[in-house]
Amino acid sequence: MGEIRASDVVYAACDALVAGLDAPGLRILAACTRAEADYDVQDLLPAALAELGLTFYPIAGKAGQEAAARALARHMLAASSRLVSSLSGFTSATDTSCL
């Protein structure tokens, strides 16, 4: 597959089923043996993702790189927002002007 082993994709499909996601392609993907995974995952993954309403981005494609950059930016913004909220709670808890 590229960045991730095919068997890890199969394990992720199993985890998704356990978590409550369900689609025929996801079940087929989760049923792959280790021996089958290296050969079948690349063909099965795009259909399984599509059935779940997700988009498959080829590893070297520009659209995938842009989607990854957007996801990373959202993650970083959410983390910084949580940090600011935590710090504002901390400063108000240590404010001594009320003493």
Side-chain angles (χ1 to χ4, degrees), residues 9-64:
V9 174
V10 172
Y11 295 138
C14 293
D15 290 343
L17 288 171
V18 169
L21 294 175
D22 192 22
L26 188 61
R27 284 184 252 133
I28 292 169
L29 193 56
C32 285
T33 65
R34 284 187 189 187
E36 295 168 334
D38 288 330
Y39 300 102
D40 295 341
V41 165
Q42 191 168 357
D43 294 330
L44 296 172
L45 184 59
L49 292 175
E51 290 171 0
L52 295 169
L54 301 171
T55 304
F56 175 77
Y57 295 104
I59 195 164
K62 184 177 179 179

